[in-house]
């Protein structure tokens, strides 16, 4: 299942329902938006893969380490 949207994704993270994170880092500076990751959620992550696109975007794929 894919979950999008900052509030819904944050609630799923807080409930422990997220097994993988796919983060796309875009080289653009913006301000005033909502944070992508909630402050009150902590998870141990393992970097599974990284891909750099020609556009400058970087994709990080993380898995959640349980236990």
């Amino acid at each position: 299942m894919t979950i999008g949207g900052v509030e819904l994704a944050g609630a799923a993270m807080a409930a422990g329902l997220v097994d993988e994170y796919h983060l796309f880092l875009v080289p653009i500076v913006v301000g005033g938006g909502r944070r992508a990751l909630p402050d009150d959620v902590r998870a141990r992550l393992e970097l599974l893969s990284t891909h750099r696109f020609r556009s400058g975007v970087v994709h990080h794929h993380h898995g959640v380490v349980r236990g």
Side-chain angles (χ1 to χ4, degrees):
M1 170 180 10
T2 300
I3 298 174
V6 176
E7 290 180 25
L8 180 59
M13 289 177 208
L17 299 175
V18 178
D19 294 323
E20 295 183 348
Y21 290 81
H22 291 268
L23 302 174
F24 291 86
L25 307 175
V26 181
I28 298 174
V29 177
V30 296
R34 293 186 164 191
R35 295 179 58 124
L37 303 173
D39 288 329
D40 59 343
V41 175
R42 299 286 179 253
R44 288 183 51 216
L45 301 177
E46 176 185 3
L47 181 62
L48 302 175
S49 66
T50 297
H51 180 77
R52 297 175 193 273
F53 295 91
R54 282 192 197 182
S55 64
V57 173
V58 178
H59 169 244
H60 290 296
H61 175 201
H62 290 86
V64 175
V65 177
R66 303 279 183 203

